[in-house]
Amino acid sequence: MKKIFLNISLVSLLVLSASCDNFQRTEVYPTITVDYSSVTMFEGDEIQLTASPSSLTFKWSTSDESIAMVDNSGLVKAIRQGSASVLCESGNMSFKTEIYVNRKVALTDVTMKCDSLIELAIGAAVTIPVSMVPSDANDVPTTDFSWWSDDENVARVSQSGVVKGIGTGTTKIHYRKGKFSKYVTFDVQVTFPFVKGHPFVLAKDSTTVIWFRDFDRGGMNVAFYDTGGGGGNTYRAAHGDPTSSMVTIEGGGNIGYLASGEWYIYSISVMDAGTYEIAINASSGSGGPAGKYHFEVDGEKVTEIFPIAGSGNWGTFIDEIVQITLSAGDHKLKFFADNGSHNPKHMTFTYISE
């Protein structure tokens, strides 16, 4: 038993000896490093480079002192636009840092490339383009900007400049870059005044004429409903609304071929609450059923159904006088034809009492 034990021990020693012979040794070479391998700077800027290990003494130099200079501590100063290499050395070790120098172009302003007033339907979205002045300005960090809305219940804006209509009303959308800022006003509605940004104003000290052809923009079933009983025309398209060619506007400026159930919406701004007299100017032929209509405000019926007195000739226009009571503020006034059989031209509003 003892002889067997000694043989096993000898084998173990031989194995261990063979394993030690296979151990791989790698030589460690000393190196130095600098905290930046490349730096982008503006003319006149300075940056401190730090080399390690700190126990060594370093020598600093630059490949082009007309572009970037470096002192004995590793402080680099950008001189003019271009590129240069800063070399850090200690003994036979070295580390190179690339220096890129740009000319500083100061931002002097920002611009929004859009109208000062933008109309936006609820749920619709639009992107506001912005630009820097000058276009190559580079002294403000790319992250130093912001967008915001004065009223997010009306319109909201993303940080990419996309504005979305949320609810009816008016708000300002702002953009800031550095210390410069601009804003644009957004009018968010279901329909929009025919003349951009200008509802019809009703006040006690003046009369207001609204032509029936100048109903709101917004399209079929939104700003108007018309069955298209007559021929096409270009009046609306020529004034910025290509969505209503089915509405017949005749040579005298009146709406023609008015059919029962058709309606038109008008944006009004009532400065003085009270009762207004409306002179409805319209024509009608002889015989046939009498024309009838009523008014709605903000979706609510506010008048009885009025008849249209027959003018006896489609080319003869007479006034029909009715009254309506309006509260102050911005409203959507709807003219609803309960019975066609008349060609309305315009309506004149005159304040008569509180």
Side-chain angles (χ1 to χ4, degrees):
M1 295 294 290
K2 184 176 181 180
K3 183 178 179 180
I4 294 174
F5 175 76
L6 290 174
N7 288 341
I8 293 174
S9 298
L10 180 59
V11 172
S12 298
L13 289 172
L14 291 173
V15 172
L16 289 172
S17 177
S19 298
C20 290
D21 288 343
N22 290 332
F23 181 75
Q24 300 295 318
R25 292 181 176 88
T26 57
E27 187 173 357
V28 177
Y29 295 97
T31 60
I32 62 174
T33 59
V34 177
D35 52 352
Y36 291 97
S37 60
S38 67
V39 177
T40 300
M41 307 171 66
F42 288 125
E43 294 174 344
D45 286 352
E46 294 182 345
I47 188 171
Q48 178 66 57
L49 300 182
T50 302
S52 60
S54 58
S55 59
L56 299 179
T57 300
F58 303 103
K59 177 185 176 182
W60 298 87
S61 62
T62 177
S63 63
D64 192 337
E65 289 192 344
S66 68
I67 293 175
M69 299 181 65
V70 62
D71 66 11
N72 293 332
S73 70
L75 179 66
V76 178
K77 181 175 182 179
I79 305 302
R80 68 176 177 84
Q81 187 174 13
S83 61
S85 299
V86 169
L87 187 65
C88 176
E89 299 176 278
S90 182
N92 62 354
M93 299 175 292
S94 65
F95 190 97
K96 186 182 291 185
T97 300
E98 300 298 333
I99 306 297
Y100 303 98
V101 181
N102 293 326
R103 181 175 61 90
K104 182 180 287 188
V105 181
L107 182 69
T108 60
D109 202 359
V110 293
T111 61
M112 287 181 163
K113 296 181 178 180
C114 58
D115 294 339
S116 59
L117 173 67
I118 296 179
E119 295 172 334
L120 191 64
I122 295 175
V126 64
T127 299
I128 303 300
V130 295
S131 59
M132 297 185 297
V133 181
S135 60
D136 59 345
N138 58 13
D139 66 327
V140 178
T142 57
T143 56
D144 187 8
F145 76 96
S146 60
W147 289 91
W148 71 95
S149 170
D150 283 347
D151 189 345
E152 291 196 341
N153 291 320
V154 174
R156 298 173 187 171
V157 59
S158 72
Q159 289 307 295
S160 59
V162 179
V163 182
K164 183 176 182 179
I166 303 299
T168 59
T170 302
T171 188
K172 292 177 181 177
I173 298 295
H174 301 260
Y175 172 76
R176 178 197 61 80
K177 178 74 172 179
K179 65 179 181 180
F180 301 97
S181 63
K182 289 290 187 295
Y183 70 84
V184 58
T185 300
F186 271 79
D187 182 22
V188 181
Q189 303 290 340
V190 177
T191 66
F192 301 99
F194 180 61
V195 179
K196 186 174 182 179
H198 293 81
F200 294 103
V201 177
L202 307 184
K204 65 170 59 178
D205 57 355
S206 62
T207 59
T208 299
V209 178
I210 300 177
W211 284 69
F212 281 94
R213 65 187 180 186
D214 294 337
F215 52 88
D216 277 7
R217 290 175 289 117
M220 181 72 162
N221 295 317
V222 176
F224 71 92
Y225 171 72
D226 193 291
T227 58
N233 58 82
T234 61
Y235 173 81
R236 296 284 299 192
H239 289 79
D241 179 26
T243 68
S244 53
S245 60
M246 68 285 294
V247 180
T248 301
I249 300 172
E250 297 184 323
N254 62 282
I255 291 179
Y257 299 93
L258 185 69
S260 301
E262 294 182 346
W263 50 264
Y264 309 91
I265 290 178
Y266 305 83
S267 292
I268 61 173
S269 182
V270 180
M271 306 304 295
D272 301 297
T275 300
Y276 287 79
E277 180 182 87
I278 311 176
I280 305 292
N281 187 253
S283 68
S284 59
S286 59
K292 295 179 180 179
Y293 66 94
H294 71 268
F295 286 101
E296 298 176 13
V297 175
D298 301 329
E300 298 291 332
K301 185 178 178 181
V302 295
T303 70
E304 60 183 280
I305 296 176
F306 300 116
I308 285 286
S311 67
N313 188 299
W314 291 111
T316 300
F317 290 84
I318 61 174
D319 288 340
E320 183 77 21
I321 307 299
V322 297
Q323 293 183 0
I324 188 172
T325 299
L326 299 168
S327 61
D330 294 335
H331 301 291
K332 299 295 184 180
L333 178 71
K334 176 189 283 187
F335 173 84
F336 188 96
D338 296 276
N339 191 332
S341 301
H342 59 286
N343 290 344
K345 180 180 287 187
H346 51 67
M347 44 188 166
T348 302
F349 289 76
T350 305
Y351 182 87
I352 58 174
S353 66
E354 294 184 0

